[in-house]
Amino acid sequence: MIELAEKALRVGLKLGATDVGVLVEKEKFNMVRFSNNEVTLVESDELTELTVYLSKGGRRFLASTSNVEAGGIEEFVNRAYESCLRLPKSEEYAPLPSGVFSYPKNPNYDPRIDEEEFIFSSVESAINSGLEEGGERVAGSLHTVIREIALRTSGGIEASDRSSYVMLNVRALAGEASGHGLSCSSGVKGFDPEGAGRTAGRYCRLSKKTGKLEDGVYNLVLSPTVAADLMQHVGYSASAYDFDLGLSFLCGRLGSKVAPDGFGLYDHGVIEGGLNSRSFDDEGVPTSSTPIIEDGVLKGLLHNSTTAKKHKVKSTGNAGIIVPHPWNLVVREGDMEFEELIGEAKRGLLLTNNWYTRFQDYREGSFSTLPRDATLYFEDGEIKYAVKGIRVSDKMPRLLSNIKGVGKNRVWVLWWEVETPVLSPYLLVEGCRITTV
Amino acid sequence: MYEDLAGLAVRLAGELGCSYAEARVRRVRSLGVSLKNGEVEPARVYDGLGMGIRVVYEGALAFSSINRMERGAVREAVERLVKRAKSVKRAKKVGMSDEKMERARWGAEEREKLDRMGLEEMLKLLKELDGEVKGGFAGVEIPSRLLELEKEVEDRYLVNSDGAELWGHLPRVSFSSFLLLKLDGGFRSLTIPTGYSHPGGTGGWEVVKGWDLHSYLPDRVSKVCKHLKKAKGLEEGVMDVVIGPSIAGIVAHEACGHPSEADRILGREAAQAGESFLKPEDLGSRVGNEEANVSDDPTLKGSSGFYLYDDEGVRARKRELIKDGVVNEFLQNRETAWEFGLGSNASARAESFSSEPIVRMANTYVEPGDHSLEELVEGVKDGVLIESYMEWNIDDVRVNQRYVGLECYRIRNGRIGEELKDVVLELKSTDFWSKIDARGKELEFLSAYCGKGDPIQSVPVWTGGPYLRLKGVRVMSR
């Protein structure tokens, strides 16, 4: 892979580009999908993609291809460079970083997740435990991803990395009732398909008894899955790109209190167990640990070289050439057990899963999201019944400032609705608006 | 288009005992340009090439994709597929419905070739548009603007073991804009068109010209600025509501199109994209009144969801999903049609060569009626007109849906009155389809990307409809 990157780099430099960055990504992907207790599809892909960033006199161009036959690379870079020269100069241009960097070691690589026996026995275990705990139908998917990357840049950077993760998303259903379980890990260790199936089955069982709920304001205990969805939106809003466009609900709040004392949200390029760990970003800058919110205060933004130049700060190693973005978000662990959170909330709802978070206004942070699967009404620390047809409608700044409790235990969350991995605890949020149909 | 390699994949699969095999080669070349507050962002080119191979082996379905276009890679992929399929233990076998297979070339008309449209012309258009809106309107400033224009040409080749051999050509264009408005009371972010949608379609540069963005963008932005400057909230209540075509379109997509997807109905999408309030036995059952008529048509010329043959080789046709309030047909691919014992209606679509073909919508819309907007409004004594929206969502069985208006108006005694904003329409799907009282006669479409599948696949669609009048629904303020 590094040879492919080297070849494209040489072509770019020979043509006269001042900045050339070549990223080659190779991904081995396996998936087993299942529904109604049976496997519906097995998928197995092996794909390589090459991305070239070219700059000349402040003109900037980004070209990606999955057509990576070595003979075609020269023509591809040639065409990209010709196009680059036709662009006007950008005032925002920042040179690609150069120098010798020391990269963090990425421990998150385990090729054993690719083994057929591991994949199929995990699926079987999830289905069986989901059925045992109360599901009548079990559906889900197991993904394994093994990723290798190589980067060469005109700044003298030559780096490579590899990582892996396995994700099992499982849902147990019985009539109108359903529950959701999830297990994510960067390797075989710590991956718990049976536990995910049991969680789905247990929540399915708990959601069989239903009751009514009136529109109103409720205290919410968010499962790690739901908390992760909302925290990923905080992470995206901390991208300096969104911030500069004024499309972030964090705009104007740098250095201000946005969450309670003790609350922390960080981005880590490399962290033990991190499902999207990378030791360097797309510009070759070492990834780092960046506080976004620390002790309740909005501390910093996520930068690439372009946004860092504009803000007169150093890159945080979060390139995206165009848009800086988080790698692995981590919510600081709290000090409360699940039972304490439910007890503290007194009366409210436990949200175990959600989807379809959409914003009316990104700047204001006004949004709504739909709880799915078991949504459980509780009083005095005791779960009473499940509710259906409800929606959370709120504003992100208000939700952040109303976090009243953070769980001790955290799990990695990555699934259909959560695209950036989050190490996420239970959260207690007071006074959220709930509407019903 | 690597016909030899695709043919090899199908042949090898047959030799290894597969009862069905297909190979799809796709080449996509795209160029996107963006202007952020008048500054040119890095232009983006994508050149994607690869092959997706799908087989049925002893009743198990397996899919693989490669982008190493060599005989060795094809052989490895097919052998891996069969090996994986052998590990699947299924009591219930997967099959493919019998369909007429054809050998044909098809595509969208491209009068002004996109290949000839360089990035200079694309950037020139964006710069002119930025100049036309950056000064703001009616005292409302627009301090931040992100304008994007994209063109894409996709070539397809499909061959399968049932005799299909199809070559497709799909040129596409799209425009989108994100804006930040500075109003008296603070800031407001939005998109034009609203609802995170965009003008988009298949065809050449003539499609972009047809949008007349020089009129469209400033007119729409000006209208929204003037509106938001005056608009107030609304007290919650039950009243008659007239909704604009963009909302009718998104409702058609979310509350009829998705629940009509046969794979959801069978539970195949349960873990991620969800299921449906419609059950297999609901074909022929009533879900709305006589005014509820929703169709999906991939053959609409110029549409974002245009195709003449689906990704399983079945010739496309219009599908009438709800007819006079009754469920008329589900969206079927060959896999679901086989399970239903019906025929496919050509609903198989795959986002790319590396995606499995699954049941998808193309262009979903509420059929038009016979009222003018004035006539719809005249029939409302006390109500609200919700012209456009931003936020929307719906639950995973497609019942509990919500649309939050951006440009809204009070209606009193058949006349449009004061400006409102953030009016919330939140109701069950069957209530929506049962409360339509009258439909406008003008059909309008917008382009969007529809997400479904696992891993998620995003395919271009049109959503459409006329103005609709609903009787007696609850509305709230955000």
Side-chain angles (χ1 to χ4, degrees), chain A residues 30 38-39 42 44-45 48 62 65-66 116 137 141 171 245 356 359-361 367-368 372 391 416 435, chain B residues 47 49 64-65 67 80 84 87 90-91 144 189 196 254 270 272 391 393 396 400 426 453-454 478:
Chain A
N30 286 303
E38 293 206 300
V39 171
V42 287
S44 172
D45 306 316
T48 303
L62 203 55
T65 182
S66 69
E116 206 155 289
R137 297 186 290 129
S141 68
R171 206 164 168 228
L245 268 173
Y356 236 130
F359 285 78
Q360 175 74 355
D361 178 354
F367 76 99
S368 66
R372 61 187 270 182
R391 177 180 275 101
W416 212 69
T435 56
Chain B
D47 182 353
L49 170 70
S64 181
S65 62
N67 62 354
R80 192 171 61 238
R84 282 277 153 96
S87 302
R90 269 186 74 97
S144 198
S189 69
Y196 308 96
E254 302 289 6
Q272 295 83 20
E391 171 192 334
N393 47 29
D396 59 306
N400 177 2
E426 193 171 305
D454 184 21
R478 208 182 190 292

Side-chain angles (χ1 to χ4, degrees), chain B residues 86-361:
Chain B
K86 279 180 180 172
S87 302
V88 176
K89 301 174 192 81
R90 269 186 74 97
K92 204 170 175 183
K93 305 296 182 195
V94 171
M96 295 282 165
S97 61
D98 285 331
E99 307 292 342
K100 184 186 173 199
M101 292 286 114
E102 296 180 51
R103 191 167 187 274
R105 288 182 188 274
W106 62 276
E109 192 182 5
E110 188 184 2
R111 288 203 299 276
E112 295 184 40
K113 296 284 183 197
L114 292 178
D115 283 350
R116 289 188 209 135
M117 191 49 57
L119 49 77
E120 293 94 336
E121 290 89 340
M122 294 169 74
L123 277 173
K124 180 171 173 278
L125 174 58
L126 290 188
K127 286 210 162 191
E128 288 167 357
L129 293 171
D130 190 63
E132 285 156 9
V133 299
K134 72 178 181 185
F137 299 90
V140 176
E141 296 171 39
I142 310 178
S144 198
R145 308 162 306 281
L146 180 66
L147 309 180
E148 298 188 315
L149 190 60
E150 186 156 330
K151 63 172 188 171
E152 169 186 298
V153 177
E154 180 177 297
D155 288 295
R156 302 174 170 191
Y157 174 68
L158 163 71
V159 61
N160 69 22
S161 55
D162 292 339
E165 191 172 22
L166 298 159
W167 291 261
H169 177 74
L170 283 169
R172 292 195 184 97
V173 284
S174 69
F175 167 79
S176 59
S177 71
F178 245 108
L179 304 171
L180 182 73
L181 309 188
K182 190 176 179 193
L183 297 140
D184 299 337
F187 293 94
R188 179 106 196 192
S189 69
L190 50 86
T191 62
I192 297 292
T194 61
Y196 308 96
S197 58
H198 54 271
T202 48
W205 193 249
E206 74 280 0
V207 176
V208 176
K209 287 181 178 169
W211 296 332
D212 192 10
L213 291 171
H214 288 300
S215 296
Y216 172 79
L217 190 67
D219 286 355
R220 282 296 290 126
V221 178
S222 164
K223 190 169 172 237
V224 171
C225 286
K226 288 171 187 165
H227 186 95
L228 289 176
K229 210 171 169 194
K230 295 183 195 164
K232 304 269 189 308
L234 172 76
E235 291 285 309
E236 181 175 340
V238 174
M239 58 186 73
D240 296 347
V241 175
V242 176
I243 59 170
S246 66
I247 306 175
I250 192 74
V251 176
H253 179 95
E254 302 289 6
C256 173
H258 275 307
S260 299
E261 292 163 343
D263 53 352
R264 279 178 191 275
I265 293 164
L266 293 170
R268 195 182 189 275
E269 285 281 312
Q272 295 83 20
E275 297 192 306
S276 173
F277 68 87
L278 295 174
K279 304 300 171 201
E281 60 274 17
D282 285 337
L283 271 177
S285 67
R286 180 162 290 283
V287 290
N289 63 25
E290 295 283 320
E291 290 293 326
N293 287 276
V294 184
S295 299
D296 184 278
D297 190 354
T299 68
L300 289 178
K301 281 189 178 165
S303 64
S304 287
F306 175 81
Y307 58 88
L308 293 182
Y309 292 88
D310 78 353
D311 282 322
E312 291 178 335
V314 180
R315 186 192 274 265
R317 66 165 171 84
K318 179 178 176 178
R319 290 76 67 113
E320 294 178 294
L321 303 177
I322 300 178
K323 206 171 172 183
D324 300 329
V326 172
V327 179
N328 185 58
E329 64 179 318
F330 297 145
L331 293 167
Q332 305 271 8
N333 66 2
R334 295 182 66 191
E335 182 193 350
T336 59
W338 185 83
E339 197 157 338
F340 271 88
L342 298 169
S344 165
N345 49 24
S347 302
R349 296 182 73 185
E351 177 193 270
S352 70
F353 69 86
S354 60
S355 315
E356 167 206 17
I358 56 172
V359 176
R360 302 305 298 253
M361 283 171 266

Side-chain angles (χ1 to χ4, degrees), chain A residues 29-31 33 35-36 38-49 60-67 69 76 79 83 86-88 90-92 114 116 119-120 137 139-141 143 169 171 173 215 241 244-247 322 355-356 358-363 366-370 372 389-391 393-394 415-416 433 435-437, chain B residues 2 27 36 39-49 61-67 69 80 83-84 87-88 90-92 118-120 123 144 146 178 180 187-189 196 254 266-273 275 353-354 356 390-396 398 400-402 404-405 422 426-428 452-456 474 477-478:
Chain A
F29 173 76
N30 286 303
M31 178 178 71
R33 280 184 81 177
S35 62
N36 299 320
E38 293 206 300
V39 171
T40 49
L41 179 79
V42 287
E43 179 168 341
S44 172
D45 306 316
E46 279 192 33
L47 301 171
T48 303
E49 192 162 292
R60 301 175 299 162
F61 200 85
L62 203 55
S64 298
T65 182
S66 69
N67 187 5
E69 289 168 19
F76 178 72
R79 273 190 283 117
S83 298
R86 283 158 38 207
L87 286 166
S90 168
E91 294 300 321
E92 296 198 339
D114 192 40
E116 206 155 289
I119 291 170
F120 282 96
R137 297 186 290 129
S141 68
H143 294 192
N169 163 49
R171 206 164 168 228
L173 305 104
D215 286 23
Y241 188 89
D244 289 345
L245 268 173
L247 300 177
I322 302 176
W355 86 330
Y356 236 130
R358 291 291 185 277
F359 285 78
Q360 175 74 355
D361 178 354
Y362 276 106
R363 176 60 178 251
S366 48
F367 76 99
S368 66
T369 190
L370 278 151
R372 61 187 270 182
I390 76 157
R391 177 180 275 101
S393 171
D394 219 306
W415 82 290
W416 212 69
R433 188 180 173 204
T435 56
T436 64
V437 295
Chain B
Y2 297 90
R27 175 100 191 249
K36 186 177 79 173
E39 276 289 309
V40 178
E41 290 284 272
R44 305 168 306 280
V45 149
Y46 178 67
D47 182 353
L49 170 70
L61 191 65
F63 175 77
S64 181
S65 62
I66 55 169
N67 62 354
M69 303 300 277
R80 192 171 61 238
K83 184 166 174 271
R84 282 277 153 96
S87 302
V88 176
R90 269 186 74 97
K92 204 170 175 183
L119 49 77
E120 293 94 336
L123 277 173
S144 198
L146 180 66
F178 245 108
L180 182 73
F187 293 94
R188 179 106 196 192
S189 69
Y196 308 96
E254 302 289 6
L266 293 170
R268 195 182 189 275
E269 285 281 312
Q272 295 83 20
E275 297 192 306
F353 69 86
S354 60
E356 167 206 17
M390 283 297 292
E391 171 192 334
W392 89 102
N393 47 29
I394 189 164
D395 70 17
D396 59 306
R398 305 280 155 179
N400 177 2
Q401 54 178 323
R402 167 180 168 115
V404 184
D422 301 329
E426 193 171 305
L427 76 174
K428 291 182 178 178
K452 188 186 165 189
D454 184 21
I456 195 160
R474 185 178 73 149
S477 202
R478 208 182 190 292

Side-chain angles (χ1 to χ4, degrees), chain A residues 224 227-229 231-232 265 275 327-331 411-414 418 420-425:
Chain A
D229 175 47
M231 287 305 121
Q232 74 173 341
L265 179 69
L275 308 171
W327 301 110
N328 300 284
L329 290 165
V330 172
V331 180
V411 294
W412 281 105
V413 175
L414 177 73
V418 179
T420 296
V422 185
L423 185 60
S424 180

Side-chain angles (χ1 to χ4, degrees), chain A residues 269-341:
Chain A
V270 173
I271 183 170
E272 179 83 38
L275 308 171
N276 190 34
S277 289
R278 286 262 302 256
S279 53
F280 52 88
D281 71 2
D282 289 2
E283 297 176 331
V285 175
T287 58
S288 57
S289 299
T290 306
I292 297 170
I293 300 173
E294 195 159 46
D295 205 14
V297 173
L298 181 63
K299 277 284 185 190
L301 303 177
L302 306 177
H303 287 287
N304 59 17
S305 294
T306 305
T307 62
K309 178 188 158 198
K310 194 170 178 182
H311 286 246
K312 299 187 173 67
V313 295
K314 280 186 169 179
S315 169
T316 53
N318 287 90
I321 296 278
I322 302 176
V323 181
H325 55 79
W327 301 110
N328 300 284
L329 290 165
V330 172
V331 180
R332 187 181 169 193
E333 67 183 348
D335 56 3
M336 295 175 83
E337 298 289 354
F338 170 73
E339 292 75 16
E340 291 178 289
L341 291 166

